[in-house]
Amino acid sequence: MAEAEIPKAYAPQDVEPRWYASWEKAGYFTAPQTGANPFCIVIPPPNVTGSLHMGHALNNTLQDTLTRWHRMKGDATLWMPGTDHAGIATQNVVERELLKKEKIRRHQIGREALIDRIWKWKDQYGDRIISQLKAIGSSCDWTRTRFTMDEGLSKAVRENFVRLYDDGLIYRGKYIVNWCPRCQTALADDEVEHEEKKSHLWHIRYPYVDNPKDGITVATTRPETLLGDTAVAVNPKDDRYQNLIGKQVTLPETGRSIPIVGDDFVDASFGSGAVKVTPAHDPNDFQIGQRHNLPQLNIMNADATIADTAPEKYRGLKREDCRNQLLQDLTDHGYLVKTEDHTHSVGHCYRCHTVVEPWLSDQWFVKMQPLAKMAIAATKNGKVNFHPKRWTDFYLSWLENVRDWCISRQIWWGHRIPVWYCQAGKNCKPIVATMDPEKCPHCGSTALEQDSDVLDTWFSSALWPFSTLGWPDKTPELETYYPTSVLITDRGIIFFWVARMVMMGMYHMKKEPFKDVYINGTVLDKFGRKMSKSHPETCIDPLDIVARYGADAMRYALVQLTTEGQDIALDEQKFEVGRNFCNKIWNAARFIQMQEASAIAGDAIELSFADKWILNRLHHAIHRITTALENYTFDDVAKTLYDFVWRDYCDWYVESIKPILQGPDSIAKKSTMATMRQVFLTALQLMHPVMPFISEELWQSLGGEGSVMVSAFPMLNAPAPYAPEAQDFELMKSVVSVMRNVRGEYQVPPSQKVDAVFKSTPSEQKILLAQLDYIQRLGGIDNWSAVGADAVFDNTTAVAVVSQGIELGFPGLVDIEKEKVRLNKAIDNLKKMVKSVEGKLANKGFVDRAPADVVAKERERLAQNCAELSKLEDAYKRLL
Ligand SMILES: [Zn+2]
Ligand SMILES: [Zn+2]
């Protein structure tokens, strides 16, 4: 094996694209159709309009880490990729482009032409996010890439609609919806963003029909909807109004008579205690209207201008203008009683931020309660488990209070609702079908018109875990990979997506769509602000980080920061940590190659003390990393890699074996070289899931067999080897660490050797003497001697404690005068501290009022300080 020499510096930009292309070409990402121990993750499909942000980078790094690990374990592994058509978002992008470049609006170009344009846009730009996912190393099975509007998924969507409809779980109804007058579409409850707004509460008098001089005063935050009032409501238990129920009042500015009704919903303590009822323009009023059989008078057009159902004077006005005009008229005619300041919550469209109008319209709905019941049971029975656990309650409480889901959208881009209306005028029932019907089954007419609305985007992504595997067909993939193993996603879409996938999975497949749901943290900037496109200063672009630090450095940093789904405050410095780690790994590999160790692929014949220790450490590292991956404690994976590679391997092991490598004993040398190389290759396997590129590059450079990506992940089937030797090595390490500390404390330059005295019991003495070579060399010791446990060091000897029973003395290191000054200073400081804690504890107020554990802690601190003080005072006395 003649491997190319590893270049001096690591240049990820040269290495990463090369390996990605090679893996893809080799077909390593491609999942088998069937196989043992299936492991499957479905990607949260990014929007086709999307471009990779740090949230994606984090989310996909975690998915890739698990995927690569399972693949290496030999599990049948599928990471299913794809993109979402993202209805309104995509249509908006193309519409905006059309308006900007060609000055055309969608109604001018028409439905078919616009859809055509969107497909073209999708073909051109829709895969951008996929190439970005590749740049960060995502090992998705791209041969299976799906799109929520591809042929198969469209078939699944229709099947879903028809089954739900046939089961009575989809219905069409007049319903008050959240209407965006700009997007001209209904929005789901969770697509409405609420904001506190300072406004007014207007008190308006409605005169009694039989006594116009007197009247009832209602309080409202939206006076313009007065035009659509069909009643006034009071609480039937309210003594002030009880006897008015049933009376008629005149609606100001309209001349219409409307009744006063009694309804428990009315809060007697709010405003005047009487409210106007506008069933077509307020969700609560809609409910009151249903209870009292009130007419629903829609006074607004789709664009929120006033409709022809209102008095002529107001028709065509914008809702804001109508409000002003109406307030003016009410004032002029003496109906406006008073105006109060009032802050209330106003809903805005999550896409365009226009104020949402509650609006009555024909919509399609999914009846949620029966579906939610199944989803709740799945979690309560332990079939769908959230990590971290705290998200369980959040999820369940939403499901328990869920409202019916409005699934129709008045846009063009999306799955058109599979319902056709017969135009023959014979009152035929609507046709709901998976295939486009040719004629009306009731009257035979071929004049059919399909519902013009499209389905909410989440209606298709709710099927993602099984539609992507071939459902409604029974495919081998569906059989093998459903239920999938784990979903990794963001808390922002627990309701939108996670809950709906569980509902649809339980409904269609009778099995949960995934066993685990890992909710990753939100990526924040270093000041703890959410990264958002509208505030570019908060954003760190992952592709920019890849270009500057390498994908592995970025992935390592993100994994390292992933603690129990906590939010991540990201700072560029964190990527430097990743880059430094990559450089350390790179240099270790170069060191191995320089020893020509890679040319010796043989087995270790004779293990040195250090070899045994590193093999023991390796065993623990494998155990910790495996456990961490099993439990989604990602930060521990990163930490263990760092500790093992940097601390154990580079700092201690490589330093320890240098004399063997440079020594004359060729058998020992060969043997250690083999261990050194083998342990490093295993470390590359351990790091591969997190840092795929550098591990592959070095695996190949050091002559590892095949590709590390498909090598077998290290498994443990025996207890940790060489435990006693490892324990002795640890003792040696602490001795050397203490020596290094003392050298630092007394500012001994690294080039200068010192003398040392070991003071210990005979048994420990034996262990230390056996490792004298290491201790002398690593600790920079010249002459050494050993004394018994009861020996006393003189004034000029610097003394350090290694552990119970072992002390190290460094004769001549102490300059008595300097040491006196140092000790004096330390004693003074400690005395001050002791005095302050004593004062605190003497204060009865503190001792009586502070919690018991706080007082106990202070007492403990005092005792520690006193002990330390007497130690320093003894040391000082010894110098005199
Ligand atoms: Zn909007
Ligand atoms: Zn018909």
Side-chain angles (χ1 to χ4, degrees), residues 387-407:
H387 307 267
K389 279 248 172 305
R390 65 192 145 99
W391 293 110
T392 315
D393 289 340
F394 181 68
Y395 166 81
L396 286 177
S397 81
W398 183 79
L399 282 174
E400 277 154 8
N401 298 298
V402 74
R403 286 170 58 177
D404 283 355
W405 173 20
C406 176
I407 49 169

Side-chain angles (χ1 to χ4, degrees), residues 178-181 187-189 191-197 222 319 344-350 352-358:
N178 307 298
W179 181 261
C180 174
L187 300 168
D189 286 344
E191 289 171 339
V192 178
E193 288 170 350
H194 291 275
E195 257 175 42
E196 290 294 310
K197 277 262 165 79
R222 302 191 58 214
R319 51 188 167 168
H344 70 134
S345 161
V346 177
H348 292 78
C349 172
Y350 81 123
C352 73
H353 212 67
T354 301
V355 173
V356 163
E357 189 65 45

Side-chain angles (χ1 to χ4, degrees), residues 574-856:
K574 315 276 190 196
F575 302 118
E576 278 167 32
V577 173
R579 179 171 62 190
N580 293 344
F581 188 34
C582 286
N583 288 339
K584 188 79 181 177
I585 296 165
W586 189 261
N587 289 335
R590 287 191 74 227
F591 179 81
I592 295 169
Q593 205 183 43
M594 279 190 294
Q595 309 309 311
E596 296 173 63
S598 56
I600 308 158
D603 290 331
I605 310 144
E606 184 179 275
L607 295 174
S608 72
F609 181 45
D611 291 339
K612 289 177 181 169
W613 173 74
I614 199 68
L615 289 169
N616 178 276
R617 295 303 300 158
L618 177 64
H619 180 102
H620 289 295
I622 295 170
H623 179 74
R624 265 181 72 183
I625 288 172
T626 307
T627 311
L629 287 167
E630 280 165 358
N631 296 317
Y632 309 114
T633 47
F634 292 98
D635 55 330
D636 210 33
V637 176
K639 193 176 175 309
T640 307
L641 285 174
Y642 192 90
D643 286 349
F644 181 73
V645 176
W646 194 307
R647 303 268 168 256
D648 292 346
Y649 190 87
C650 295
D651 283 358
W652 288 99
Y653 175 67
V654 171
E655 288 308 311
S656 300
I657 58 176
K658 275 181 179 165
I660 303 174
L661 298 176
Q662 288 149 11
D665 184 342
S666 66
I667 294 181
K669 199 163 155 179
K670 235 176 145 169
S671 184
T672 283
M673 279 180 179
T675 305
M676 170 173 71
R677 175 176 170 273
Q678 201 47 56
V679 169
F680 191 76
L681 287 175
T682 309
L684 292 176
Q685 291 177 304
L686 292 176
M687 71 180 76
H688 180 77
V690 179
M691 306 160 89
F693 296 108
I694 193 169
S695 53
E696 183 74 287
E697 174 75 6
L698 295 177
W699 175 270
Q700 306 273 344
S701 301
L702 295 175
E705 204 184 318
S707 160
V708 68
M709 185 181 157
V710 289
S711 70
F713 197 80
M715 300 267 214
L716 300 176
N717 36 27
Y722 311 114
E725 289 93 335
Q727 212 178 341
D728 291 354
F729 196 94
E730 291 298 330
L731 178 63
M732 181 278 288
K733 268 178 67 190
S734 12
V735 168
V736 171
S737 300
V738 166
M739 286 175 168
R740 288 175 178 169
N741 287 345
V742 170
R743 295 178 69 103
E745 207 174 311
Y746 289 91
Q747 293 169 353
V748 181
S751 56
Q752 189 189 320
K753 299 228 166 191
V754 296
D755 293 346
V757 181
F758 304 145
K759 175 177 152 183
S760 69
T761 58
S763 66
E764 253 124 12
Q765 202 85 258
K766 223 174 114 191
I767 302 170
L768 291 176
L769 295 183
Q771 301 165 31
L772 212 53
D773 279 358
Y774 290 98
I775 295 174
Q776 266 190 298
R777 196 165 41 82
L778 299 173
I781 302 300
D782 199 0
N783 300 304
W784 62 273
S785 57
V787 296
D790 47 4
V792 179
F793 290 117
D794 72 12
N795 278 349
T796 59
T797 300
V799 181
V801 178
V802 176
S803 63
Q804 190 83 33
I806 304 181
E807 282 181 20
L808 297 176
F810 299 90
L813 219 52
V814 178
D815 175 328
I816 294 185
E817 288 317 306
K818 265 197 205 158
E819 184 66 1
K820 274 186 190 164
V821 173
R822 188 182 75 89
L823 281 175
N824 246 330
K825 218 170 163 186
I827 287 168
D828 275 358
N829 278 340
L830 261 179
K831 274 185 178 161
K832 271 185 217 148
M833 260 197 269
V834 166
K835 215 174 151 195
S836 117
V837 182
E838 273 175 347
K840 219 171 180 181
L841 287 170
N843 178 351
K844 231 178 119 27
F846 170 74
V847 178
D848 290 348
R849 251 173 286 134
D853 60 324
V854 173
V855 177

